[in-house]
């Protein structure tokens, strides 16, 4: 590949927030020195570092070899036997934790359920027997297409218990997307529900399964949970009600002793950049990665009530609603619906109701909540919160500041966690009692993670020069392959830059070694000989008092080569106008310089996003350039947003 120029960084964020003394004192890691010591220890002997931590898990049989690395294919804890459901459930039943809440669940209509570890263990064992009764054996794939209800957690843990590989498909996907994922994974059983609640409406699920199953020759059975009482058609000999099967199922089902490398799940990426990939994660390394990161990054304590707002259909939900949290024996909150339903304060109401201590959410949600105004969080007592987290996209510094001040009251640290479906667990992040934070930076790599910013040749770039974000060594929770496509795995992740895992993201490190993720490399804009990351220009726009959200893309321009096109959503109460456009242009120039001055600004009520809430800049590129959209749009959340943007063009 031709040598390309580095990415120019223009963001100039200098605020620094040290953790409060009381927080640090009680934290798992209490000082920057402690972090650095640990990081160095892990660097010196990564295998010994991970093996030391792996000893805390419950094994049926110890491993023989920590790592077998035949680049780019890794095997961790070779020869060991383990079960992740056992680690999330059975081992907590020995003491008082058996009666501790494992899941506190809240339905959108306001109903709620609490499952203790014992309850969850019983339900999982029963459903594991149901699966066996339907002919599912170790190694089979089970597709799960469900709303955020406890049965979703039960179904995934039941699969893990017997060694069936789950493939969870987010409940917002269409029948076509479902069909393709079922076929790609060759699932033989589907677990679903009649429907789920979202923004006050019923999202029908069984109906979409019926549609999808017209073209899924491999599926033999469907198990249906009754949630909304929506009438559904049950096909004899194929479709069975969950409650019927569970009635007679035994609650005795010992956890299967699985190889460390047994495939735990397949999960398709969110599809921000293109066609989703079936990412394969295995058992022991994934369990280790999620367990240790959850404990140190969320600073989990026995008494914590922890809430991650992600849907379990995304990797964040897999790792940090369920596996990494339950393996630590902590109470996880699970919520079915929209965070702003029936009112914009639902999220704050839930925090107040359950006295949530740790909140983990996404920049897209934070920006939506900012747009609604500060009066909503002010209506509730949020004093139980002691730690905040974000994941999914770069967080604009001003959104970070809002989260810090309005929600955290300046008291709670924020962990901005960078990771991917592929990495399985968080990779770059503050450790909240140890690492001072800077708004918009994911700060430093987790101990054991060899993250770096390099040029195309794989050489580290100097401080404050943008480049490619890579991981230089295998890590336990890494993806093992792309399902049925090891060539794509090699090509996508291990080919662009020699010898290392390439994340697809651009980043820079500052003089303190802090990482600043600048967005996806595919989204980088070439202007006047500079390559600019989108996040920095967007953050400059978002720092204007009227702007809630912004997306920036490049557009072909006869004179300049590339022009900068900005799509801007205003905070409620602000009206689009030409003077405001001018003011925003001037604001960007003042914040980061004339080079980043947007050529066009368009106001829009909504931006096109993936179903996981990430901005899809590649679609905006087409609109800005006046082209037809050619790429995959199946992961788009709301098609009308695109149509509206196009109309506004005409
Ligand atoms: P696809 O790979 O199919 O295009 P995707 O990359 O959006 O979809 P995910 O695995 O859900 O799918 O997202 C991972 C990406 O999200 C990262 O590569 C990065 O671009 C972005 N990201 C996640 N967390 C952060 C963060 N804290 N800061 C900056 N970017 C983040
Ligand atoms: Mg990706």
């Amino acid at each position: 590949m031709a040598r390309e120029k580095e990415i120019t960084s223009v963001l100039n964020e200098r605020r620094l927030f040290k953790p409060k003394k009381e927080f640090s004192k009680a934290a798992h890691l209490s000082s920057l020195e402690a972090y650095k010591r640990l990081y160095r220890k892990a660097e010196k002997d990564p295998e010994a570092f991970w093996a030391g931590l792996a000893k805390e898990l419950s094994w049926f049989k110890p491993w023989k070899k920590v790592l077998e690395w035949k680049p780019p294919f890794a095997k961790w804890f070779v020869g060991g036997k383990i079960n992740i459901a056992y680690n999330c459930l059975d081992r907590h039943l020995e003491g008082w934790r058996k009666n501790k809440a494992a899941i506190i669940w809240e339905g959108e209509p306001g109903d709620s359920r609490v499952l203790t570890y014992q309850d969850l263990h019983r339900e999982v064992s029963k459903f594991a027997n149901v699966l066996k009764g339907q002919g599912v054996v170790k190694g089979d794939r089970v597709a799960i297409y469900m709303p955020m209800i406890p049965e979703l957690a039960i179904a995934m843990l039941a699969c893990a218990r017997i060694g069936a590989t789950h493939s969870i498909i987010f409940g917002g996907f269409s029948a076509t997307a479902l069909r393709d994922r079922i076929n790609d994974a060759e699932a033989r059983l589907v677990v679903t529900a009649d429907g789920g609640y979202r923004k006050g409406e019923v999202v029908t699920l069984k109906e979409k399964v019926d549609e999808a199953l017209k073209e899924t020759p491999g599926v033999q059975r469907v198990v249906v949970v009754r949630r909304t009482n929506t009438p559904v058609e049950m096909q004899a000999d194929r479709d069975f009600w969950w409650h019927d099967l569970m009635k007679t199922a035994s609650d005795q089902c010992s956890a299967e002793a699985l190889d460390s490398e047994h495939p735990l799940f397949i999960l398709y990426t969110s599809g921000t950049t293109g066609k989703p990939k079936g990412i394969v994660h295995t058992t022991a390394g994934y369990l280790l990665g999620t367990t240790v990161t959850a404990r140190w990054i969320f600073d989990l304590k026995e008494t914590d009530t922890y809430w991650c707002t992600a849907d379990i259909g995304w990797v964040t939900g897999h790792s940090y609603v369920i596996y990494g949290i339950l393996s630590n024996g902590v109470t996880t909150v699970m919520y079915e619906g929209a965070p702003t339903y029936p009112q914009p304060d639902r999220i704050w109401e839930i925090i107040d109701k359950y006295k949530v201590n740790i909140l983990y959410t996404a920049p897209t949600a934070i920006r939506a909540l900012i747009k609604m105004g500060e009066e909503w969080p002010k209506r509730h007592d949020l004093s139980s919160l002691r730690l905040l987290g974000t994941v999914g996209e770069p967080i604009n510094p001003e959104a970070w500041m809002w989260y810090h001040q309005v929600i955290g009251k300046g008291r709670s640290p924020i962990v901005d966690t960078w990771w991917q479906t592929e990495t399985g667990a968080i990779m770059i992040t503050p450790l909240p009692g140890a690492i001072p934070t800077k708004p918009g930076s994911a700060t430093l790599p987790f101990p054991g993670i060899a993250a770096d910013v390099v040029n195309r040749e794989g050489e580290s770039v100097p401080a404050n020069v943008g480049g490619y974000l890579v991981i230089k060594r295998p890590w336990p929770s890494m993806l093992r392959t792309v399902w049925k496509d090891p060539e794509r795995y090699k090509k996508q992740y291990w080919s662009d830059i020699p010898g290392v895992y390439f994340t697809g993201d651009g980043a820079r490190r500052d003089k303190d070694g802090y990482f600043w993720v600048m967005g996806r490399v595919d989204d980088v804009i070439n202007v006047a000989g500079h390559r600019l990351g989108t996040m920095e220009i967007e953050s400059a726009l978002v720092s204007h008092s009227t702007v809630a959200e912004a997306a920036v893309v490049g557009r072909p321009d006869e004179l300049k080569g590339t022009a900068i096109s900005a799509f801007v959503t205003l905070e409620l109460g602000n009206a689009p106008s030409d003077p405001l456009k001018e003011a925003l242009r001037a604001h960007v120039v003042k914040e980061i310089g004339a080079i980043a001055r947007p050529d066009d600004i368009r106001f829009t009520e909504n931006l096109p996003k993936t179903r996981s809430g990430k901005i899809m800049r590649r679609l905006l590129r087409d609109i800005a350039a006046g082209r037809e959209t050619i790429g995959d749009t199946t992961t788009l959340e709301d098609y009308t947003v695109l149509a509206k943007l196009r109309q506004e063009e005409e």
Side-chain angles (χ1 to χ4, degrees), residues 269-273 277 420-422 493 503-505 520 614:
T269 52
S270 351
T272 311
T273 52
K277 306 161 274 276
Q420 309 177 298
T421 307
E422 293 88 340
Y493 303 105
T503 63
D505 288 345
R520 294 154 199 283
K614 300 180 193 211

Side-chain angles (χ1 to χ4, degrees), residues 192-398:
T192 189
D194 50 359
Y197 294 103
R198 187 84 194 172
K199 296 189 183 146
E201 316 236 311
V202 170
V203 179
T204 58
L205 293 167
K206 174 62 166 61
E207 198 180 88
K208 297 199 187 85
V209 169
D210 291 340
E211 182 65 30
L213 260 53
K214 288 181 186 154
E215 292 168 295
T216 57
V219 176
Q220 294 156 4
R221 286 282 188 282
V222 181
V223 180
V224 189
V225 177
R226 184 173 280 154
R227 165 66 183 140
T228 54
N229 282 310
T230 309
V232 295
E233 257 173 59
M234 298 293 277
Q235 191 175 308
D237 302 332
R238 189 195 72 182
D239 303 348
F240 297 89
W241 286 108
W242 173 290
H243 55 264
D244 285 340
L245 298 172
M246 287 291 267
K247 235 181 268 162
T248 51
S250 152
D251 61 4
Q252 299 296 313
C253 176
S254 55
E256 194 79 25
L258 300 169
D259 278 341
S260 295
E261 283 296 329
H262 186 75
L264 174 65
F265 65 84
I266 304 168
L267 179 61
Y268 295 83
T269 52
S270 351
T272 311
T273 52
K275 186 169 171 278
K277 306 161 274 276
I279 302 302
V280 178
H281 282 287
T282 59
T283 303
Y286 174 81
L287 170 62
L288 177 63
T290 53
T291 304
V292 177
T293 51
R295 188 185 309 150
W296 290 352
I297 297 163
F298 300 124
D299 193 41
L300 295 178
K301 302 283 160 56
E302 190 70 75
T303 49
D304 276 331
T305 301
Y306 162 96
W307 183 22
C308 165
T309 64
D311 194 287
I312 292 177
W314 309 117
V315 74
T316 305
H318 282 59
S319 300
Y320 300 112
V321 176
I322 300 298
Y323 290 124
I325 306 303
L326 296 182
S327 68
N328 277 294
V330 163
T331 300
T332 190
V333 174
M334 194 175 159
Y335 169 57
E336 176 184 32
T340 51
Y341 183 85
Q343 291 204 119
D345 61 345
R346 183 63 180 276
I347 180 170
W348 316 123
E349 186 187 291
I350 293 174
I351 291 169
D352 193 354
K353 178 172 176 188
Y354 298 112
K355 304 298 170 217
V356 169
N357 306 109
I358 302 163
L359 174 69
Y360 190 33
T361 191
T364 185
I366 296 169
R367 290 186 307 248
L369 293 160
I370 294 174
K371 191 172 153 186
M372 307 285 180
E374 266 178 43
E375 69 266 26
W376 297 102
K378 283 195 176 137
R379 292 186 186 185
H380 299 276
D381 176 11
L382 304 180
S383 61
S384 58
L385 287 173
R386 65 178 188 87
L387 179 64
L388 305 173
T390 88
V391 58
E393 288 179 294
I395 182 163
N396 315 110
E398 286 317 312

Side-chain angles (χ1 to χ4, degrees), residues 540-557:
L541 285 163
V542 172
S543 74
H544 192 271
S545 61
T546 61
V547 177
E549 190 157 48
V552 163
V553 297
R555 148 178 85 67
D557 180 86

